[in-house]
Amino acid sequence: MDLLDAGSPREVIEKVAKHLDCSPTSREVAEYFDKNDKLRHLRQEFLFPKVAQLPTSDLSLVGGSEDCIYFVGNSLGLQPKNVKKYIDEELKKWATIGAHGHVMGSRPWAWAENDLEDLMAKVVGAKPEEVALMNGLTVNLHLLLLAFYQPIATRHKILLEDKAFPSDHYAVESQIRLRGFDPSTSMLFVKPRPGEDTLRTEDIVSTIEREGHSIAVVMLSGVQYYTGQLFNMEVITKAGQNQGCYVGFDCAHAVGNADLRLHDWGVDFACWCTYKYVNSGAGGLAGAFIHEKHVDRVKPALLGWWGHNLKTRFQMTNEMDLQPGVNGYRLSNQPVLLVCPLQASLEIFNQTTMKDLRKKSILLTGYLEYLLKHYYSKKASDPHKPCVHIITPSNPAERGCQLSLSFSLPIRAVFKELEKRGVACDMREPNVLRVAPVPLYNSFSDVHRFITVLGSALAASNKD
Amino acid sequence: MDLLDAGSPREVIEKVAKHLDCSPTSREVAEYFDKNDKLRHLRQEFLFPKVAQLPTSDLSLVGGSEDCIYFVGNSLGLQPKNVKKYIDEELKKWATIGAHGHVMGSRPWAWAENDLEDLMAKVVGAKPEEVALMNGLTVNLHLLLLAFYQPIATRHKILLEDKAFPSDHYAVESQIRLRGFDPSTSMLFVKPRPGEDTLRTEDIVSTIEREGHSIAVVMLSGVQYYTGQLFNMEVITKAGQNQGCYVGFDCAHAVGNADLRLHDWGVDFACWCTYKYVNSGAGGLAGAFIHEKHVDRVKPALMCGTSVSTEMDLQPGVNGYRLSNQPVLLVCPLQASLEIFNQTTMKDLRKKSILLTGYLEHLLKHYYSKKASDPHKPCVHIITPSNPAERGCQLSLSFSLPIRAVFKELEKRGVAVKSALTNLLFSVFEDAALVL
């Protein structure tokens, strides 16, 4: 029997420990997981900073020659090895054949991003024709909302989560004002219950059922950036559509993380960036999805020549021959320099599946959670011991890779001490540390190392 | 006396020929010009395809080891030499310090494009705070129009040139529909006179004066992509504003080509791409300009997290129009190019350009003017205005022979030019102008 299929992460850890006759917190358990990790070879596809290379490392506290503990792929994914090679190919093309590069080579610049859309579609669970790679996330969000958010007096609200990512919040606000409505009456927030950090699906659904007649668009994140909560997109989509709302998701933290099925869930629209879990580099090319059911129904509000049928686009007739679905939303030629890193990354995703990545991720993050709880649960018997509060839901189905943590010590100090010891993670004021072991390139040994380092970091923070 | 300052291109050519005691069409004249070109060293800053490297070259007709004749910088500029070096620096940063790269190094990713905006502003004649590098041209055009085009029943039209670049045409059409108006009544075109190819400034102005009360926005190109005409942006801006219109320009073909003075001319807004004359590579980072006079007056319609510096605190002017972090991989080529521009000035580039294009025109006319005495000789018709002040680098030509054949034979011989409707294999127009 494959021990890794033995049940919940906790059950798996304890069974393996028993099998190895060691403590569940022993390094041997991590080594066993890594040895049996079918995806461990994918780590070699990425460029890992060494501890000594990170500017915040204190080499009196940690060895410099090891890979750093890179748990911030939820903010900026690591560089795939082939990025430089692909970019060099395009620079060489530019230098040797100039403008001919638009139609020649392995990445003709006039349609290079289109050639990646089937790989991208696999990652989000869509058909290729439902996906466009273009622009930045917020630009895409605006283009989608301009088409999907067409409020009338009786149906004018946009529902989003409380403490949505600021960019989404401002984007929605400005869309509402553009349409002549008032954000104070047209922005509807679904909040956690008092004393809780995350949203209950039943509360989202009941809000939608109660207010849905006046909601034009339900627009949540797929994974909440702050709490790490993974929303039940399928249930929310149905609930919203049952009330006659369009339902869309900002999948910035969900793409390459959760096992998305945008098409099967009937999601109306979605957008995402690719520099997080999809490793395309800072400011990388963004994505947009529009369900094929809307191919003739929801037309783009803003047009540009890239939405015109490719066959006749360059005849310059100024008579729009609009491409169907999301393809009509394209505005201009996308830069090949951004296609290259994205291609390198999607090729790695294509060596596996989101299903397998998710399976590893559930165990990887579950392992992190297990160790955190083992060492740092609040203990009545030892009130002065540093302890951790995990904000992210404990149900693996309600989270991605990321755990959002707060400590009984000031977060800034903990963060600083972790960074000194070669950990790359993310701090969000006022009180949260986000750590995201990603299945593509993190290991169980990374997690075990992190816990050891965390111990030193907490001890060092506690001294002050 | 500097012969190059001797007058119009024609006068200069003839004076130099006289000085050299050779024909004005002699190669010696070209060599003299090159020898005295203060900017000739800038050629070394770029990577030139060799004739043999172009896929269309026929090496039985032309030597392969020379630089190609690259005359299609109006479509895709050549690669500055430093592009690879700068990109490699950022890739190395990404590989070695990961997320710290947002705030460290010579190009912190969180604000890398901001650090180029003063160099960009010099090229367009603006103040740095009036310029934002972001997105693509059409996205920027939409963001600007969403703010500047706020039609009412009595003032709802957008004036553009007939045969505007398709993206501009579609963009304007969709903006009008978005606002609930009808393109057939809200799109106003200024057309050339019958028998003419280009627009007369007086006709643009008179159209504005006649219709201006109902025009919300005048939105022309700076240089017309098809004809190569450079519009008198200063005069048009004044005329439009006198009628209470906002005036903006799509400067895609004007930036890095014409000597723009967006700020001094009082232009309200402008946008441009940078992969043409500003050599940033296919799909390079685009630009947007909003005059400082609008810093508190014309707010962005669409916002996001980078529009604001703190909660509910909109950044002033064009900075409030930014929507997201721009990719450092696009900043690198643009930086390499703008550093070259910064070794000279638009004024000096323009001076050389006027002579360079004037020289091309002189030779074309010398050899290929229509001659009544020889009606079967191939001849050229230059569509672009002959007045240097009314054009940039580009000449748009049609020939008395089918353009497709001419284009093909030129390409075989190592010339990179653009056939305006056939640069991507899909079109079948016989009479398309050859853009040189």
Side-chain angles (χ1 to χ4, degrees):
Chain A
M1 178 207 176
D2 187 347
L3 282 174
L4 299 178
D5 289 330
S8 70
R10 183 190 180 99
E11 286 166 340
V12 171
I13 294 160
E14 289 174 352
K15 281 206 167 108
V16 165
K18 194 165 171 202
H19 168 74
L20 297 172
D21 193 27
C22 66
S23 159
T25 60
S26 155
R27 196 172 145 171
E28 284 184 60
V29 173
E31 287 164 1
Y32 178 92
F33 283 146
D34 282 337
K35 204 167 130 208
N36 289 282
D37 174 14
K38 292 188 186 71
L39 303 181
R40 77 180 178 283
H41 61 289
L42 296 180
R43 186 186 178 101
Q44 315 315 323
E45 300 291 328
F46 292 89
L47 299 176
F48 255 89
K50 296 290 181 196
V51 168
Q53 290 173 319
L54 293 183
T56 42
S57 297
D58 180 340
L59 299 179
S60 69
L61 297 172
V62 65
S65 62
E66 285 193 80
D67 290 345
C68 72
I69 301 170
Y70 197 83
F71 279 177
V72 69
N74 59 332
S75 173
L76 184 80
L78 288 181
Q79 182 179 158
K81 281 202 167 132
N82 279 335
V83 172
K84 181 166 155 56
K85 177 174 153 205
Y86 292 172
I87 285 179
D88 285 347
E89 286 169 1
E90 294 311 311
L91 292 181
K92 185 170 176 191
K93 209 168 94 168
W94 183 9
T96 55
I97 68 173
H100 290 274
H102 283 299
V103 297
M104 297 189 64
S106 66
R107 296 173 203 92
W109 304 329
W111 58 81
E113 75 277 18
N114 302 131
D115 290 343
L116 289 187
E117 282 157 359
D118 58 341
L119 292 188
M120 185 77 257
K122 273 196 207 176
V123 173
V124 300
K127 295 185 173 186
E129 61 266 31
E130 295 177 316
V131 168
L133 289 166
M134 56 185 190
N135 310 321
L137 184 157
T138 309
V139 172
N140 291 350
L141 177 59
H142 277 303
L143 294 176
L144 292 165
L145 286 176
L146 281 169
F148 282 89
Y149 177 59
Q150 308 237 9
I152 53 177
T154 50
R155 191 186 278 277
H156 59 95
K157 295 181 189 170
I158 297 182
L159 176 75
L160 49 168
E161 76 254 31
D162 189 46
K163 297 198 172 60
F165 191 75
S167 211
D168 289 0
H169 183 109
Y170 297 132
V172 164
E173 230 179 23
S174 60
Q175 285 275 339
I176 288 168
R177 284 205 188 90
L178 180 69
R179 296 294 188 177
F181 287 83
D182 180 351
S184 65
T185 46
S186 293
M187 275 177 99
L188 193 58
F189 298 99
V190 53
K191 297 174 172 35
R193 295 188 184 189
E196 294 183 2
D197 299 304
T198 56
L199 293 164
R200 300 191 191 198
T201 305
E202 70 230 51
D203 291 351
I204 300 172
V205 169
S206 65
T207 305
I208 291 173
E209 287 172 347
R210 192 180 63 246
E211 308 272 349
H213 56 281
S214 65
I215 297 173
V217 172
V218 173
M219 220 289 294
L220 304 187
S221 52
V223 167
Q224 223 283 333
Y225 83 102
Y226 191 86
T227 63
Q229 176 177 14
L230 167 60
F231 292 113
N232 190 326
M233 293 165 67
E234 185 175 15
V235 162
I236 292 166
T237 300
K238 282 197 169 67
Q241 289 169 351
N242 278 347
Q243 301 298 321
C245 321
Y246 283 127
V247 182
F249 291 93
D250 173 354
C251 289
H253 282 271
V255 173
N257 181 12
D259 188 6
L260 299 176
R261 299 244 179 276
L262 298 181
H263 176 88
D264 291 348
W265 296 337
V267 172
D268 293 306
F269 67 89
C271 53
W272 58 91
C273 49
T274 59
Y275 56 83
K276 297 175 169 55
Y277 297 102
V278 186
N279 316 302
S280 69
L285 206 54
F289 160 91
I290 297 181
H291 202 284
E292 65 174 359
K293 63 184 158 177
H294 296 305
V295 80
D296 293 315
R297 283 198 323 212
V298 185
K299 304 285 189 184
L302 298 182
L303 300 180
W305 71 323
W306 231 244
H308 185 114
N309 181 352
L310 181 60
K311 289 198 179 67
T312 55
R313 184 179 299 161
F314 304 103
Q315 287 178 6
M316 319 300 226
T317 57
N318 289 3
E319 284 172 32
M320 177 53 93
D321 178 10
L322 192 66
Q323 297 186 110
V326 74
N327 295 292
Y329 288 64
R330 300 180 199 272
L331 295 179
S332 39
N333 186 203
Q334 297 306 303
V336 75
L337 290 178
L338 299 187
V339 169
C340 293
L342 186 50
Q343 176 187 347
S345 175
L346 289 173
E347 286 173 346
I348 302 169
F349 275 92
N350 203 40
Q351 295 183 40
T352 175
T353 59
M354 283 310 306
K355 185 163 176 258
D356 284 346
L357 284 168
R358 189 63 179 132
K359 190 174 171 198
K360 173 179 173 177
S361 176
I362 285 170
L363 185 55
L364 191 64
T365 295
Y367 181 52
L368 173 64
E369 182 191 35
Y370 183 92
L371 293 173
L372 283 168
K373 282 175 146 171
H374 175 91
Y375 287 109
Y376 302 111
S377 288
K378 206 172 166 73
K379 282 184 165 54
S381 54
D382 192 355
H384 297 292
K385 184 173 187 281
C387 60
V388 72
H389 168 53
I390 303 178
I391 293 164
T392 312
S394 55
N395 177 358
E398 292 181 57
R399 66 187 186 203
C401 313
Q402 173 184 315
L403 290 182
S404 299
L405 317 173
S406 65
F407 291 87
S408 53
L409 299 168
I411 204 71
R412 194 171 266 281
V414 177
F415 176 66
K416 201 165 167 229
E417 294 300 327
L418 281 170
E419 285 209 305
K420 280 189 196 172
R421 290 160 176 81
V423 175
C425 59
D426 175 273
M427 181 187 71
R428 292 276 145 167
E429 303 278 19
N431 201 27
V432 152
L433 201 71
R434 300 187 305 168
V435 289
V438 309
L440 268 186
Y441 50 73
N442 284 124
S443 65
F444 294 85
S445 299
D446 283 342
V447 171
H448 193 272
R449 247 174 91 204
F450 171 77
I451 293 294
T452 307
V453 167
L454 179 61
S456 312
L458 289 173
S461 314
N462 211 5
K463 267 190 259 166
D464 308 326
Chain B
M1 177 205 177
D2 187 348
L3 284 174
L4 299 177
D5 288 330
S8 71
R10 183 192 177 99
E11 286 167 341
V12 171
I13 293 161
E14 287 175 353
K15 283 204 163 105
V16 166
K18 194 167 173 200
H19 168 75
L20 296 174
D21 193 29
C22 67
S23 159
T25 59
S26 158
R27 195 171 146 170
E28 285 184 57
V29 174
E31 286 165 2
Y32 179 92
F33 283 147
D34 282 338
K35 205 168 132 206
N36 290 280
D37 173 13
K38 291 188 186 71
L39 302 181
R40 75 182 180 283
H41 59 292
L42 296 179
R43 185 185 178 104
Q44 314 314 323
E45 298 293 327
F46 292 90
L47 299 176
F48 256 89
K50 296 291 181 196
V51 168
Q53 291 174 316
L54 293 183
T56 42
S57 297
D58 181 341
L59 298 179
S60 70
L61 298 172
V62 65
S65 61
E66 287 193 78
D67 291 345
C68 72
I69 301 169
Y70 196 83
F71 279 177
V72 69
N74 59 334
S75 173
L76 184 80
L78 288 180
Q79 182 179 156
K81 281 205 168 132
N82 280 335
V83 172
K84 183 166 153 57
K85 178 173 152 202
Y86 293 171
I87 285 179
D88 283 347
E89 286 169 2
E90 294 311 310
L91 292 182
K92 184 168 177 195
K93 209 168 92 171
W94 182 9
T96 54
I97 67 173
H100 290 273
H102 283 300
V103 295
M104 299 187 63
S106 68
R107 296 173 204 92
W109 305 329
W111 58 83
E113 75 275 18
N114 302 131
D115 290 343
L116 288 188
E117 281 157 359
D118 59 340
L119 292 188
M120 185 77 257
K122 274 196 206 176
V123 173
V124 300
K127 296 186 172 185
E129 60 267 30
E130 295 177 317
V131 169
L133 289 167
M134 56 185 189
N135 309 321
L137 184 158
T138 309
V139 171
N140 291 351
L141 177 58
H142 277 303
L143 294 176
L144 292 165
L145 286 176
L146 280 169
F148 282 90
Y149 177 58
Q150 308 239 10
I152 53 177
T154 50
R155 192 186 278 276
H156 59 96
K157 295 181 189 171
I158 298 182
L159 177 74
L160 51 168
E161 77 256 32
D162 188 45
K163 293 199 175 57
F165 192 75
S167 212
D168 289 359
H169 184 107
Y170 301 142
V172 164
E173 231 181 18
S174 60
Q175 285 275 341
I176 288 168
R177 283 205 190 91
L178 180 68
R179 296 295 187 179
F181 287 84
D182 180 352
S184 66
T185 46
S186 292
M187 272 177 101
L188 193 57
F189 297 99
V190 54
K191 297 176 170 44
R193 295 188 186 189
E196 294 183 0
D197 299 306
T198 54
L199 292 165
R200 301 191 189 199
T201 305
E202 70 229 51
D203 292 351
I204 300 173
V205 169
S206 64
T207 304
I208 291 173
E209 286 172 349
R210 193 178 65 242
E211 308 272 349
H213 56 280
S214 64
I215 296 173
V217 173
V218 173
M219 220 289 292
L220 304 188
S221 52
V223 168
Q224 223 283 333
Y225 83 100
Y226 192 88
T227 65
Q229 175 176 14
L230 166 60
F231 292 114
N232 190 327
M233 294 165 67
E234 185 174 16
V235 162
I236 293 167
T237 299
K238 282 195 171 67
Q241 289 169 353
N242 279 347
Q243 301 298 322
C245 321
Y246 283 128
V247 182
F249 291 92
D250 172 354
C251 289
H253 283 270
V255 172
N257 181 13
D259 189 5
L260 299 176
R261 298 245 179 276
L262 299 181
H263 176 86
D264 292 347
W265 297 337
V267 171
D268 292 305
F269 67 87
C271 52
W272 58 91
C273 49
T274 59
Y275 57 82
K276 295 176 171 53
Y277 297 103
V278 186
N279 316 302
S280 68
L285 208 53
F289 161 90
I290 296 181
H291 203 285
E292 66 174 357
K293 63 185 158 175
H294 297 304
V295 79
D296 292 315
R297 280 194 331 208
V298 184
K299 306 282 190 188
L302 299 181
M303 288 168 41
C304 87
T306 48
S307 311
V308 296
S309 48
T310 61
E311 195 174 310
M312 305 306 279
D313 181 9
L314 188 65
Q315 295 195 85
V318 73
N319 296 293
Y321 287 67
R322 299 182 200 274
L323 292 179
S324 36
N325 187 207
Q326 297 306 303
V328 75
L329 290 178
L330 298 188
V331 170
C332 293
L334 187 50
Q335 176 187 348
S337 175
L338 289 174
E339 287 173 346
I340 302 170
F341 276 91
N342 204 38
Q343 294 182 40
T344 175
T345 61
M346 281 312 304
K347 183 160 176 264
D348 283 348
L349 282 167
R350 190 62 181 133
K351 190 175 171 198
K352 173 178 174 178
S353 176
I354 284 170
L355 184 56
L356 192 64
T357 294
Y359 182 52
L360 172 63
E361 183 190 35
H362 183 87
L363 294 174
L364 283 168
K365 282 174 145 170
H366 176 91
Y367 288 110
Y368 301 112
S369 288
K370 206 172 165 72
K371 285 186 165 51
S373 56
D374 192 356
H376 298 292
K377 183 175 189 284
C379 61
V380 71
H381 169 52
I382 303 178
I383 293 164
T384 311
S386 55
N387 177 359
E390 292 180 55
R391 66 188 186 201
C393 315
Q394 175 184 313
L395 292 182
S396 301
L397 316 173
S398 64
F399 289 87
S400 56
L401 300 167
I403 208 70
R404 194 176 263 278
V406 176
F407 176 67
K408 202 164 165 227
E409 294 300 327
L410 280 170
E411 285 207 307
K412 279 190 197 172
R413 290 159 175 79
V415 178
V417 286
K418 191 165 133 196
S419 175
L421 302 174
T422 63
N423 62 328
L424 287 181
L425 302 178
F426 297 110
S427 160
V428 292
F429 278 64
E430 291 290 338
D431 299 319
L434 180 66
V435 212
L436 234 164

